[in-house]
Amino acid sequence: MLQFILRRIGISALVMLVASALLYFLTINSGDPLEELWESNADNRQQLIDARIANMNLDMPWWQRYLTWLGGAGRCLLLDCDRGLTRDGANVNTMLVDAAGASLRLVTIATFLAIIIGVTLGILSAIRQYSGFDYAVTFTAFLFYSLPVFWAAVLLKEYGAIRFNRWMGDPTMSLVTIIVIAMVLGIILAAVLGGGLRRQVITFLATALVIGGVVGYFDAVNWWHRPALGLPLVIVGGLAALAFMLVMTVGLANRRILYAGLVVVGLGVVSYFATQPLLDDPANWFVVLGLALLAAAVGAAVGWFMGGYERRVGMTVGAGTAVGMAFLIFMDHLLSAWSGFLARTPGRQIATIGERRLDPGRVELAFYENIYNWGIQLILPTIVLTVISIAAYSRYTRASMLETINQDYIRTARSKGLSDRVVYTKHALRNALIPITTIVAFDFAGLLGGAVITETIFGWRGLGAMFAAGLNNVDPNPVMAYFLVAGGAAVIMNMVADIAYAFLDPRIRR
């Protein structure tokens, strides 16, 4: 395995070397970096020309300029990078740190959401092949896959930002809107749960009534301006997290694991009151992450002591339920701070340009308000990048899952009397995920390339903006800095995919 990894690293380094030389040559020959200065009437025009020639090494032949850049980039192996200067004399290292932080934050969240949603939809589509749910997911996947990025981004700016900001001025819902929302969610849940016609009708009616009642109550109490979960919704969410963990592991039949999970939910109710002083402002991420780790440890300990002969499963269920409860408690505090953020941003909560709403250097923000300031601007570009990837993940997962569940060993598992839950989660899913690892690796690197268009539309000052500015200015150093990040991400993610192959299928290790 080590020899294989070293060989892949060597081949990847050679590919990046050749690609960097080609990209550098194409960039510097795409135009004249001094074009606007030749046409300038400024008194210090010659000084500006001389300064740009010095910053961009225009007095050198192209291959010498490339070798100069390559020498500085090669020093990154010694943790002493020198990526040169822009044509205006700005340090590319500083630009790259800021731009990479913004882009990687955006792409990482989009990839994470796309994997969870896309893989889940693909698994459910395969299990319910040729059902109404399968046809709906297939149609939606092809629709998302065919959407032009720029068109979807413009629509989201109109409906997700401009019209949402107008609605927040007087956030009320008509009876027709509430009924439509309840019916749509009822249809979705009935399709996901499946079953016979009678069961689907009961699921639809129950879901529609509950959702309609909740949305109507929220509208009556002006929840949209002063949101909060409260203890009842935290308990309901904790029970939902427990049910999900049980379904994915041992089911509802194992009473010891079920009781352990209920104990964890009870401890979560106690922690809802005990952690109030710690999570109120002024809070910080160290406190939040520390409490989350503590919750996972306590949940795992409860599962260990109460799990009986399935202690490892008990630890998994307990830790997962505890983390779910901790997340809901954190969200309760975060939602409670929404009214304060509204007061600071009257009439325009979601900005259509930029990666933050307020400047923390000029406005003093509380912890939760700062989360809104940075996080709310992630919503629209994240949705654009996510829906593009969901289509691929769902289709590949469906195809892989269908191929796996038709294998002989799956039929053998069913003939032994194993339940569908065990067959799908413990036998089929792991092998079905092997081809998906390749998609994840390429998609992460591909999103960095696709983010160029998204960042341009939303005014996101990330790698895409730096890359576009470098091309427009015939400035190779910012372009090559983007190439290092995108190319390095492609190499690293492909290496992770190879290692994941060996983890998922031990035969690949040999």
Side-chain angles (χ1 to χ4, degrees):
M1 189 67 181
L2 178 61
Q3 183 180 4
F4 171 75
I5 293 176
L6 293 176
R7 185 168 64 251
R8 285 294 305 273
I9 292 176
I11 295 174
S12 300
L14 179 61
V15 170
M16 288 197 65
L17 179 64
V18 175
S20 65
L22 179 61
L23 181 61
Y24 196 95
F25 177 78
L26 293 175
T27 302
I28 63 177
N29 287 280
S30 61
D32 183 4
L34 301 175
E35 181 178 1
E36 81 279 7
L37 293 181
W38 297 128
E39 301 173 356
S40 174
N41 294 323
D43 296 335
N44 60 340
R45 187 186 72 167
Q46 189 58 45
Q47 295 178 353
L48 295 175
I49 293 175
D50 294 340
R52 184 166 297 182
I53 291 175
N55 291 333
M56 302 182 65
N57 295 324
L58 295 178
D59 54 342
M60 300 180 182
W62 77 268
W63 58 267
Q64 191 172 355
R65 294 174 61 191
Y66 170 73
L67 291 179
T68 301
W69 172 85
L70 184 63
R75 289 165 55 185
C76 293
L77 299 175
L78 303 176
L79 303 180
D80 184 25
C81 293
D82 181 14
R83 299 182 182 89
L85 304 175
T86 66
R87 69 174 192 172
D88 297 324
N91 191 300
V92 177
N93 284 342
T94 304
M95 293 176 56
L96 182 62
V97 170
D98 297 335
S103 291
L104 292 178
R105 183 169 70 248
L106 176 63
V107 171
T108 302
I109 296 175
T111 303
F112 182 74
L113 292 176
I115 291 173
I116 294 177
I117 299 173
V119 171
T120 302
L121 291 176
I123 293 172
L124 294 175
S125 297
I127 294 175
R128 293 185 171 86
Q129 186 183 17
Y130 302 134
S131 65
F133 176 78
D134 183 27
Y135 289 130
V137 171
T138 301
F139 171 78
T140 306
F142 283 120
L143 177 64
F144 286 163
Y145 192 77
S146 61
L147 282 179
V149 176
F150 61 89
W151 185 70
V154 171
L155 286 181
L156 278 175
K157 287 178 68 172
E158 173 66 24
Y159 292 97
I162 298 175
R163 299 201 179 189
F164 174 81
N165 292 334
R166 293 175 184 171
W167 179 75
M168 284 303 299
D170 184 20
T172 58
M173 289 188 177
S174 64
L175 180 60
V176 175
T177 303
I178 296 175
I179 293 176
V180 170
I181 293 174
M183 292 182 64
V184 169
L185 294 180
I187 293 173
I188 293 175
L189 187 59
V192 171
L193 296 180
L197 179 61
R198 182 172 178 271
R199 177 181 173 181
Q200 291 189 17
V201 171
I202 294 175
T203 303
F204 165 74
L205 293 176
T207 304
L209 289 175
V210 172
I211 296 298
V214 171
V215 175
Y217 172 77
F218 284 170
D219 191 63
V221 300
N222 196 21
W223 189 87
W224 319 112
H225 269 169
R226 296 185 298 274
L229 291 180
L231 184 59
L233 290 181
V234 171
I235 295 175
V236 172
L239 293 174
L242 172 60
F244 174 79
M245 296 301 299
L246 290 174
V247 169
M248 295 301 295
T249 53
V250 296
L252 301 176
N254 192 317
R255 298 297 180 184
R256 297 183 68 92
I257 304 297
L258 174 61
Y259 295 150
L262 291 176
V263 170
V264 172
V265 174
L267 293 176
V269 174
V270 175
S271 65
Y272 176 83
F273 298 99
T275 58
Q276 292 287 339
L278 296 175
L279 291 177
D280 288 337
D281 281 321
N284 56 70
W285 283 114
F286 292 104
V287 173
V288 172
L289 295 178
L291 290 175
L293 293 175
L294 179 61
V298 172
V302 172
W304 172 266
F305 286 112
M306 298 184 61
Y309 62 90
E310 290 189 335
R311 288 177 174 174
R312 294 181 61 182
V313 178
M315 292 177 65
T316 302
V317 173
T321 305
V323 171
M325 289 287 292
F327 175 76
L328 291 171
I329 294 173
F330 169 76
M331 287 302 299
D332 182 58
H333 287 266
L334 180 61
L335 288 173
S336 299
W338 174 247
S339 58
F341 183 74
L342 283 179
R344 291 181 177 271
T345 57
R348 194 184 176 199
Q349 288 72 47
I350 300 181
T352 57
I353 298 296
E355 70 271 15
R356 60 187 180 185
R357 179 66 179 85
L358 302 172
D359 187 359
R362 299 181 179 181
V363 180
E364 184 177 354
L365 297 173
F367 173 67
Y368 296 106
E369 292 178 352
N370 196 43
I371 294 177
Y372 280 120
N373 188 42
W374 289 97
I376 203 169
Q377 310 305 330
L378 281 168
I379 295 176
L380 299 184
T382 299
I383 291 176
V384 173
L385 295 179
T386 300
V387 297
I388 296 172
S389 302
I390 284 178
Y393 283 127
S394 63
R395 303 314 298 162
Y396 278 108
T397 303
R398 179 183 181 274
S400 180
M401 193 72 177
L402 286 174
E403 182 181 358
T404 302
I405 62 180
N406 289 323
Q407 298 293 325
D408 291 339
Y409 73 92
I410 297 296
R411 286 190 286 268
T412 302
R414 282 175 172 157
S415 67
K416 291 163 59 178
L418 297 178
S419 64
D420 287 342
R421 178 189 58 80
V422 175
V423 171
Y424 290 135
T425 59
K426 291 190 176 181
H427 292 269
L429 181 58
R430 181 170 180 173
N431 288 330
L433 289 179
I434 292 178
I436 307 303
T437 56
T438 302
I439 307 301
V440 173
F442 282 100
D443 187 66
F444 183 84
L447 280 180
L448 283 174
V452 174
I453 300 175
T454 306
E455 291 177 5
T456 302
I457 294 175
F458 287 101
W460 195 271
R461 293 173 293 181
L463 292 171
M466 185 178 69
F467 176 79
L471 284 181
N472 292 331
N473 296 330
V474 198
D475 193 352
N477 286 343
V479 175
M480 300 308 295
Y482 169 85
F483 169 79
L484 285 178
V485 175
V491 170
I492 294 174
M493 293 304 295
N494 277 277
M495 193 65 59
V496 171
D498 292 334
I499 297 174
Y501 278 162
F503 174 76
L504 293 171
D505 189 350
R507 296 173 297 179
I508 299 177
R509 301 173 191 172
R510 296 188 292 268

